[in-house]
Amino acid sequence: MYQLVEEKVRKMLDEKRFIHSKNVVKAAVALANKFDLDIEKIKIAAIAHDCAKNFSDDELLKKANYYGIMVDEIQKRCPFLLHGPVGAYICKYEFEIKDEDIFNAIYYHTTGRKGMSIFESIIYLADFISEDRNFEGVDKIRKEAFENFKKALLLSCNSTLTYVIEKNNLIHPLTIEFRNWIILEGENT
């Protein structure tokens, strides 16, 4: 199944984004081994997480409408946030992947959400720490991912929020709920 999904994703993405997705697979597999999760499922979610990333804002909004995705005010103003939800529906209906873990991991990989499963959190974090990422603090987060997973999630969320604030962009409420949940769940992070 993974090979079929990889080929479909390869056709949807430009070369740089496809290389990123392959790097996310590597990071996700390494993390999944730590938690003894289904490697095939992790690989599918990781390779497909950005399958809608190369869509234009208009295409994302049209696809969201087509799939019946409820688009909130922030997503209307920042349609790139829809690449996760749209990608999840593409996987479900066009790739015929009916797995709920894969669907949710792709759907929430950009914003995070309160109560994320380990599976979902691995895709979120693998996307953040993939070897093609190069920003201040990423090496620390990579190290923490294997030493203190919850702390790595918090650091990655904090980094995202700092970036969004510095760009003077809107912050999606799911990301705030995600950050607060991480802190409340892991008092010792």
Side-chain angles (χ1 to χ4, degrees):
M1 179 67 155
Y2 171 78
Q3 290 301 113
L4 291 172
V5 174
E6 181 183 311
E7 285 307 310
K8 290 177 182 184
V9 170
R10 182 189 305 270
K11 292 174 185 169
M12 297 177 74
L13 298 178
D14 61 38
E15 184 178 352
K16 182 180 177 186
R17 182 62 48 193
F18 183 71
I19 289 169
H20 165 70
S21 295
K22 293 285 284 184
N23 287 331
V24 172
V25 171
K26 287 184 210 171
V29 166
L31 290 167
N33 281 326
K34 179 181 175 182
F35 291 99
D36 198 31
L37 295 180
D38 184 323
I39 299 301
E40 182 77 1
K41 276 177 52 170
I42 281 287
K43 286 173 63 177
I44 291 168
I47 197 67
H49 82 283
D50 270 351
C51 68
K53 186 75 172 184
N54 286 140
F55 290 174
S56 70
D57 288 351
D58 284 345
E59 288 172 312
L60 286 169
L61 289 165
K62 285 177 187 170
K63 285 277 193 186
N65 183 53
Y66 174 78
Y67 288 120
I69 298 167
M70 298 298 293
V71 178
D72 61 38
E73 190 59 35
I74 292 173
Q75 291 166 327
K76 284 178 189 167
R77 292 177 181 242
C78 305
F80 65 89
L81 290 173
L82 289 168
H83 82 270
V86 168
Y89 277 92
I90 286 171
C91 286
K92 183 175 184 175
Y93 292 110
E94 295 178 31
F95 297 177
E96 298 181 6
I97 300 169
K98 307 299 185 203
D99 187 276
E100 189 176 342
D101 290 331
I102 294 171
F103 181 88
N104 287 334
I106 295 170
Y107 196 102
Y108 296 106
H109 84 270
T110 302
T111 58
R113 71 169 174 156
K114 177 182 177 180
M116 282 181 87
S117 70
I118 292 294
F119 189 99
E120 294 169 60
S121 298
I122 284 173
I123 299 303
Y124 175 90
L125 194 54
D127 182 27
F128 206 82
I129 65 169
S130 68
E131 66 186 44
D132 55 295
R133 300 285 195 196
N134 184 19
F135 55 88
E136 189 175 331
V138 71
D139 289 331
K140 180 180 181 181
I141 299 169
R142 284 184 184 121
K143 185 173 184 271
E144 287 294 341
F146 295 93
E147 293 176 7
N148 185 337
F149 188 76
K150 286 273 191 186
K151 184 173 183 181
L153 284 176
L154 181 60
L155 290 171
S156 63
C157 190
N158 288 347
S159 179
T160 297
L161 288 169
T162 300
Y163 176 81
V164 170
I165 290 166
E166 286 173 355
K167 294 286 187 187
N168 208 28
N169 285 336
L170 296 167
I171 299 170
H172 199 279
L174 285 175
T175 305
I176 295 167
E177 289 176 12
F178 178 51
R179 182 180 186 276
N180 289 342
W181 172 74
I182 295 167
I183 292 170
L184 291 170
E185 288 293 305
E187 295 294 336
N188 56 358
T189 50

